[in-house]
């Protein structure tokens, strides 16, 4: 049985918060294997956390419990929830942070409100549900997955974020910047791609399964972001000179604007939410 607990938060590593959550998990499930997905989500950025979860959950073994705590509404009337889908379990606030992962999993899930204090720490704080509610619930699920139904009442629906922008306009595929990574790479909502053959890319629309795959001649495509236009889509950073900008497909299949050994976001002065256009030949 997998007893993996994966943590994803906006807590950073400067303070004691992540360590306190891990201590609580281990006090309940001593043989838990705790994996840090990231604790560097921008503060209170639910959408960025949802995108990070989307692009990481599938690499974990079945049975993994994901404890996702990006929670600007902590202490408010928002629900604390647990969700089961396709062999995975998720624990976190009901604020949309699970939206994209659950959509990729097919939208078939069971959800419960966390209403049973016997699965929490005693006298939980109103400002640190990550330590006092979410971490202990995740630990109980890792130790005994059957306790899911005992955590609280069933929820018919949970909060959902709108899908990232991805639409056709004439011969352009319009998307948006989803996040900027540690290296300054600009990751967009335009995807998911894979190299089909030779210099041809195939795009399968991740947000609208009704759209058929689209084949694109990579060398003829144009990428526009702000006042900049990039010609062609490269396979890797080294195909341009050091410091030069390029468009490529990232490791998760999304269109990315990068700079070879440089900071593309800084060069372009772009941020999450900015519009990106892929002009098709």
């Amino acid at each position: 049985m997998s007893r993996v607990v994966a943590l994803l938060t906006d807590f950073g590593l400067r303070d004691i918060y992540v360590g306190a959550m891990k201590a609580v998990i281990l006090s309940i499930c001593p043989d838990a294997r705790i994996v840090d997905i990231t604790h560097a989500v921008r503060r209170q950025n639910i959408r960025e956390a949802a995108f990070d979860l989307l692009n990481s959950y599938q690499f974990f073994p079945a049975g993994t419990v994901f404890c996702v705590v990006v929670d600007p509404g902590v202490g408010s009337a928002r629900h604390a929830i647990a969700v089961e889908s396709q062999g995975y379990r998720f624990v976190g606030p009901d604020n949309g942070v699970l939206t994209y992962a659950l959509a990729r999993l097919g939208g078939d899930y069971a959800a419960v409100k966390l209403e049973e204090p016997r699965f929490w720490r005693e006298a939980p704080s109103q400002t640190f549900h990550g330590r006092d509610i979410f971490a202990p619930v995740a630990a109980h699920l890792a130790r005994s997955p059957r306790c899911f139904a005992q955590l609280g009442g069933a929820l018919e629906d949970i909060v959902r974020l709108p899908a990232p922008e991805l639409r056709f306009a004439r011969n352009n595929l319009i998307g948006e910047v989803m996040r900027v990574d540690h290296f300054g790479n600009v990751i967009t909502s335009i995807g998911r791609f894979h190299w089909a053959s030779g210099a041809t890319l195939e795009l399968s629309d991740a947000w609208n399964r009704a759209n058929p795959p689209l084949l694109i001649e990579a060398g003829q495509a144009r990428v526009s972001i702000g006042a900049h236009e990039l010609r062609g889509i490269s396979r890797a950073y080294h195909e341009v000179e050091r410091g030069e900008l390029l468009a490529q497909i990232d490791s998760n299949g999304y269109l990315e604007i990068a700079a070879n050994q440089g900071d593309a976001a800084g060069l372009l002065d772009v941020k999450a939410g900015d519009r990106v256009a892929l002009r098709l030949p």
Side-chain angles (χ1 to χ4, degrees), residues 1-12:
M1 181 175 64
S2 171
R3 290 191 171 177
V4 177
V5 179
L7 303 180
L8 193 161
T9 78
D10 59 350
F11 293 163

Side-chain angles (χ1 to χ4, degrees), residues 14 21 24 29 46 51 78 97 99 102 123 136 196 199 241 266 268:
R14 178 178 178 179
M21 288 179 63
V24 169
C29 185
I46 298 167
F51 193 65
R78 67 97 183 93
V97 74
T99 300
L102 293 177
E241 296 296 323
L268 294 167

Side-chain angles (χ1 to χ4, degrees), residues 177 179-188 223-230 237 240-248 250 255-272 274 276:
V177 174
R179 74 186 314 277
V180 175
D181 73 9
H182 172 72
F183 295 98
N185 299 322
V186 178
I187 303 165
T188 78
V223 177
S224 298
I225 181 166
H228 299 266
E229 182 178 85
L230 304 173
Y237 304 100
V240 301
E241 296 296 323
R242 182 173 181 174
E244 286 189 7
L245 292 164
L246 72 151
Q248 65 176 8
D250 80 354
L255 180 68
E256 171 186 291
I257 297 102
N260 182 10
Q261 302 178 61
D263 180 345
L267 291 170
L268 294 167
D269 190 25
V270 297
K271 61 186 183 303
D274 287 353
V276 182

